């Protein structure tokens, strides 16, 4: 998987595809269909197709990745979104939605078909919603930093799509949506900065209480993970 990532970053897409397919087969053989790394390998195969300019093929592959990441979801229509969106989403799911939205936006740019543009906006909105949900659940610094790096990219492209939809429809709600995305981008950076200052800003709160809060957050996340594992097990307890 990481070897494939190395080739992908160097734009050696054929080599990357080979490694991702090998990873997919290994995960599938060892862990079966309900495995996050297997689903991640599908996501990466979709990203290769997108990088190669094969947007329609990428959409279908990314939809398959989404099916692999959401328990009890099986719709392979590449324009479909689950409703409601998962309350405890898989960590990589926003990346799937972002890449689907990007593929749809590029198809609109190529074809002029506004259905692609409107669907792109829907997928960007879903991506931002799930990113916010994940950001509220994860407690590790590494996860939060990675999310914060991604969310700026997600929001900037979502804002671009909203402005394009506003210009096409003249509906000011999409302009308001673009402004909302702008505010979200700023707040994401502030939240990341304040994570390192929580003990300073809450100086009156005893350290033992802060540690208890962190422990409770971790336990809550652990239980949510157990729930998710049961949901995808096929025979939930």
């Amino acid at each position: 998987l990481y070897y494939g990532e190395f080739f992908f970053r160097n734009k050696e897409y054929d080599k990357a595809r080979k490694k991702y397919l090998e990873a997919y087969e290994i995960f599938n053989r060892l862990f079966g269909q309900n495995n996050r790394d297997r689903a991640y390998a599908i996501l990466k195969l979709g990203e290769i197709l997108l990088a190669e300019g094969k947007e329609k093929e990428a959409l279908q592959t990314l939809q398959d990745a989404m099916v692999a990441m959401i328990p009890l979801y099986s719709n392979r229509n590449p324009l479909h979104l689950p409703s409601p969106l998962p309350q405890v989403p898989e960590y990589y799911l926003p990346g799937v939605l972002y890449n689907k939205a990007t593929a749809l936006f590029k198809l609109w740019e190529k074809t002029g078909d506004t259905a692609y543009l409107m669907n792109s906006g829907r997928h960007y909105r879903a991506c931002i919603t799930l990113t916010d949900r994940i950001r509220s659940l994860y407690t590790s610094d590494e996860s939060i930093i990675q999310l914060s790096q991604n969310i700026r990219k997600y929001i900037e492209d979502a804002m671009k799509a909203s402005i394009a939809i506003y210009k096409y429809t003249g509906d000011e709600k999409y302009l308001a949506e673009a402004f909302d995305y702008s505010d979200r981008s700023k707040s994401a950076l502030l939240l990341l900065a304040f994570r390192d200052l929580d003990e300073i800003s809450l100086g009156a709160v005893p350290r033992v209480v802060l540690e208890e809060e962190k422990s409770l957050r971790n336990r809550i996340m652990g239980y949510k993970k157990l729930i998710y594992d049961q949901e995808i097990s096929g025979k939930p307890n």
Side-chain angles (χ1 to χ4, degrees), residues 2 8 14 19 41 47 53 56 63 66 134 149 165-166 169 208 219 228:
Y2 291 125
F8 181 74
D14 288 338
K19 292 302 175 186
E47 287 185 355
K56 289 187 177 181
Q63 184 68 18
M66 190 157 69
I134 290 175
Q149 289 173 342
I165 295 172
Y166 164 68
T169 64
V208 65
R219 287 174 61 191
Y228 176 80

Side-chain angles (χ1 to χ4, degrees), residues 199-216:
E199 291 191 19
I200 296 173
S201 60
L202 299 174
V205 180
R207 177 175 291 276
V208 65
V209 177
L210 294 172
E211 291 298 328
E212 176 69 8
E213 179 188 31
K214 186 173 182 180
S215 174
L216 288 171

Side-chain angles (χ1 to χ4, degrees), residues 6-175:
F6 169 77
F7 285 128
F8 181 74
R9 291 184 181 185
N10 284 286
K11 300 183 179 180
E12 298 180 72
Y13 298 133
D14 288 338
K15 292 180 180 178
R17 182 182 288 106
K18 180 181 178 182
K19 292 302 175 186
Y20 287 142
L21 284 170
E22 287 178 9
Y24 171 86
E25 292 297 336
I26 292 168
F27 289 128
N28 197 49
R29 184 174 68 251
L30 293 178
F31 305 113
Q33 294 187 354
N34 298 319
N35 174 258
R36 70 183 319 211
D37 291 315
R38 171 186 175 276
Y40 182 68
I42 302 174
L43 163 59
K44 300 306 292 186
L45 288 167
E47 287 185 355
I48 290 175
L49 290 167
L50 186 56
E52 292 175 332
K54 301 173 182 176
E55 288 85 7
K56 289 187 177 181
E57 292 178 55
L59 275 176
Q60 188 60 67
T61 301
L62 292 164
Q63 184 68 18
D64 291 341
M66 190 157 69
V67 167
M69 291 182 188
I70 302 176
L72 307 179
Y73 179 66
S74 58
N75 195 316
R76 295 190 68 243
N77 179 345
L79 298 181
H80 191 267
L81 283 172
S83 181
L85 293 170
Q87 287 298 318
V88 185
E90 164 59 47
Y91 183 83
Y92 298 124
L93 187 54
V96 175
L97 291 165
Y98 170 77
N99 281 287
K100 282 189 70 182
T102 301
L104 289 162
F105 193 83
K106 288 184 175 181
L107 281 169
W108 167 68
E109 290 180 317
K110 285 184 175 181
T111 67
D113 186 341
T114 52
Y116 287 130
L117 176 62
M118 300 304 288
N119 275 294
S120 176
R122 288 175 56 235
H123 280 76
Y124 278 126
R125 280 191 289 277
C127 170
I128 301 303
T129 297
L130 291 186
T131 303
D132 283 343
R133 287 180 186 176
I134 290 175
R135 193 169 51 173
S136 70
L137 294 172
Y138 278 72
T139 57
S140 77
D141 288 339
E142 183 179 354
S143 296
I144 293 296
I145 290 170
Q146 183 63 47
L147 276 173
S148 297
Q149 289 173 342
N150 289 339
I151 199 169
R152 287 198 68 187
K153 175 177 64 177
Y154 296 166
I155 289 174
E156 286 172 4
D157 286 352
M159 189 161 47
K160 181 171 67 175
S162 294
I163 291 170
I165 295 172
Y166 164 68
K167 288 180 178 178
Y168 167 68
T169 64
D171 190 334
E172 292 194 355
K173 75 177 182 182
Y174 295 108
L175 187 62

